[in-house]
Amino acid sequence: MLVENWMNPNVITVDVDDSMLDASKILKEHKIRRLPVLQGGKLVGIITDRDLKRASPSDATSLEAHEILYIIANIKVGEIMTKNPITVPFNYTVEEAAEILLEKKISGMPVVDSSGNVVGTITQTDIFKVLIALTGVGKRGIQFSFLLEDRPGSIKEVADLIRKYGGRMTSILSTYEKVPEGSRKVFIRAYQIDRTKLSQLKKELMAAAKLLYMIDHKENKREIFVS
């Protein structure tokens, strides 16, 4: 899952010499929160809706409306932008991009090519889209969560049981976070399961492994077995 496949390639930018008013209008028109700032076609900064709010006169100001308009029409983007913005290369994975967003505590950043040119933007919203696609929640199937032994074949054993009841896998995810040593948590989402036999499937899964929960997104049913 590369950034270039999930980024927004329709990059909207401003120039360092554009006015604060221009930037504000663009953000509102396109319903976005940040704009890469270019100078001579090269990325030199980024400006966000937060930057614009900080630079705007306070609501408590005694200035007249036309005076406020004059100020924001004459302040240049280059004066209030964040210089040397955080970026991510187009050939990074989405996971790496998510790590950067989390570490830097930002909600989005420009995507650059090997020459440093801006080729897109990626945001938290794009990461959420990846999560939805990766987990297959759109299929509205059933998600099973297990605590399994960390050994070869442990995932196949429970997956084969789900297939036995007609289940088609949309995703199999696992993690070693917050689990006892020698174990792993596994999350399997499947659809087309014969729901008339779901009770029997549950019994077989619980006999074969530690079943933590079952969530049926189609029927909106949730069974939690282990906290």
Side-chain angles (χ1 to χ4, degrees):
M1 299 180 296
L2 297 180
V3 167
E4 66 177 332
N5 300 129
W6 291 93
M7 68 183 187
N8 180 359
N10 301 314
V11 190
I12 301 169
T13 64
V14 288
D15 189 84
V16 286
D17 291 324
D18 286 339
S19 72
M20 178 177 159
L21 182 59
D22 293 331
S24 180
K25 287 180 178 178
I26 293 172
L27 289 174
K28 289 179 181 177
E29 178 183 351
H30 295 279
K31 298 179 180 179
I32 53 179
R33 298 175 58 186
R34 65 195 56 77
L35 289 166
V37 182
L38 306 183
Q39 184 173 39
K42 293 296 183 181
L43 180 68
V44 293
I46 193 165
I47 189 165
T48 67
D49 51 359
R50 185 175 297 180
D51 296 324
L52 293 173
K53 288 175 183 176
R54 274 199 300 261
S56 298
S58 166
D59 291 338
T61 181
S62 60
L63 295 173
E64 297 291 337
H66 71 277
E67 294 175 309
I68 294 175
L69 184 62
Y70 176 82
I71 291 173
I72 62 176
N74 283 274
I75 294 177
K76 302 298 183 185
V77 166
E79 298 175 47
I80 59 173
M81 70 180 185
T82 298
K83 297 179 180 179
N84 303 315
I86 297 164
T87 63
V88 62
F90 72 102
N91 57 1
Y92 266 39
T93 64
V94 172
E95 305 96 296
E96 290 175 303
E99 278 188 325
I100 295 172
L101 293 177
L102 184 62
E103 178 186 347
K104 302 299 183 181
K105 298 180 180 179
I106 54 177
S107 58
M109 57 189 166
V111 180
V112 295
D113 63 16
S114 54
S115 299
N117 298 311
V118 180
V119 293
T121 58
I122 191 160
T123 67
Q124 290 177 336
T125 299
D126 298 315
I127 303 296
F128 295 153
K129 290 177 182 177
V130 174
L131 178 63
I132 291 170
L134 185 64
T135 60
V137 68
K139 288 287 188 180
R140 317 316 295 176
I142 301 174
Q143 186 183 67
F144 303 86
S145 174
F146 303 92
L147 182 66
L148 300 180
E149 290 182 68
D150 184 23
R151 59 173 173 79
S154 63
I155 296 177
K156 183 177 184 299
E157 290 169 7
V158 294
D160 284 347
L161 284 174
I162 295 170
R163 292 189 185 96
K164 176 182 171 182
Y165 287 83
R168 295 187 61 187
M169 309 298 167
T170 55
S171 66
I172 300 178
L173 305 174
S174 71
T175 179
Y176 292 102
E177 296 291 326
K178 300 180 181 179
V179 297
E181 187 175 350
S183 302
R184 70 197 309 187
K185 278 187 180 178
V186 175
F187 307 89
I188 298 177
R189 188 182 300 278
Y191 67 107
Q192 290 190 354
I193 294 174
D194 185 347
R195 282 179 168 75
T196 64
K197 300 178 180 178
L198 192 56
S199 179
Q200 183 59 34
L201 169 59
K202 180 173 69 175
K203 289 180 182 178
E204 291 195 36
L205 289 174
M206 294 182 82
K210 182 173 286 187
L211 181 61
L212 304 179
Y213 65 72
M214 287 172 47
I215 297 179
D216 189 336
H217 289 281
K218 183 178 180 180
E219 303 294 333
N220 195 26
K221 294 180 180 178
R222 300 165 187 269
E223 293 186 77
I224 311 298
F225 307 114
V226 181
S227 59

